[in-house]
Amino acid sequence: NGVKVEHTIINHDTQNPMYFSLGGHPGFNCPFFENESYEDYYIEFEVPETDDTWLVSKEGLIENESISYLNEVKILPLHAEIFAKDALIFKNLKSKTIALKSKNHSIALKMDISAFEYLGLWAKPNAPFVCIEPWLGISDSVNTNQDFTQKEGIQRLEAGETKVISFEIKI
């Protein structure tokens, strides 16, 4: 009833650290059934969430400003315009699992994102899918200094080390 997506990152260097970022891009058909609409669905957080979403520039860079988006809510309803300005990028969620659910039935998709620091939610406007994207890092900001080692969310793996990172999806 599920799948575990596991990433193994290995620094084969014997002296130098390795910097990396990692993110998933799983997309899910939504609605699940033909007799439903996108508006029948919602994202359900494990715990009530309060977080901003970060704006994305036309070039795909993270803006310096955010907008208040979640205010002590567990439910984020999906609708045709929810991704009109691009992805919703959350940096401070407490939930370790999130779910894609319908108000019409008990079938749900649940995702364990506990190994990841950021979450992106995205779809093309009016598309019949939603992407639930666990990320360790995010795109460059508009004021990037182009130093990859200083990028927000960048991960450092010491020489000779291995790190395993995964997320799980269950129906």
Side-chain angles (χ1 to χ4, degrees):
N1 69 343
V3 63
K4 181 177 185 179
V5 179
E6 187 172 272
H7 301 274
T8 302
I9 302 95
I10 304 169
N11 183 353
H12 292 285
D13 197 293
T14 57
Q15 297 178 352
N16 300 306
M18 179 178 80
Y19 296 89
F20 71 96
S21 189
L22 176 74
H25 184 63
F28 306 100
N29 194 47
C30 185
F32 296 162
F33 303 107
E34 287 184 25
N35 62 341
E36 296 181 303
S37 72
Y38 201 72
E39 288 74 15
D40 291 332
Y41 284 78
Y42 57 92
I43 300 294
E44 182 177 73
F45 298 100
E46 177 184 22
V47 298
E49 295 287 358
T50 298
D51 202 358
D52 292 351
T53 186
W54 294 84
L55 302 176
V56 180
S57 75
K58 289 180 180 163
E59 296 78 26
L61 301 173
I62 306 299
E63 296 280 1
N64 293 327
E65 59 186 290
S66 63
I67 56 172
S68 180
Y69 205 81
L70 303 174
N71 188 13
E72 282 299 307
V73 297
K74 283 187 73 171
I75 302 296
L76 177 61
L78 295 181
H79 55 84
E81 297 299 315
I82 191 167
F83 305 114
K85 294 184 179 181
D86 212 319
L88 300 177
I89 299 171
F90 300 109
K91 296 182 180 184
N92 301 299
L93 296 179
K94 296 173 282 192
S95 295
K96 301 303 180 195
T97 60
I98 59 172
L100 174 61
K101 294 183 171 183
S102 171
K103 62 183 179 183
N104 298 324
H105 51 75
S106 63
I107 297 171
L109 181 141
K110 192 172 186 179
M111 197 166 176
D112 177 347
I113 58 169
S114 57
F116 294 83
E117 299 173 31
Y118 303 90
L119 178 69
L121 299 174
W122 177 83
K124 287 188 174 188
N126 300 307
F129 66 87
V130 62
C131 295
I132 302 172
E133 305 178 0
W135 299 333
L136 285 181
I138 59 173
S139 296
D140 276 337
S141 69
V142 293
N143 61 348
T144 180
N145 65 7
Q146 300 295 310
D147 181 350
F148 189 70
T149 65
Q150 301 301 309
K151 183 177 174 175
E152 181 178 354
I154 200 70
Q155 305 293 303
R156 178 182 165 127
L157 194 61
E158 296 303 323
E161 287 187 348
T162 298
K163 187 170 190 171
V164 178
I165 301 165
S166 64
F167 61 89
E168 290 186 61
I169 305 164
K170 291 186 179 180
I171 305 292

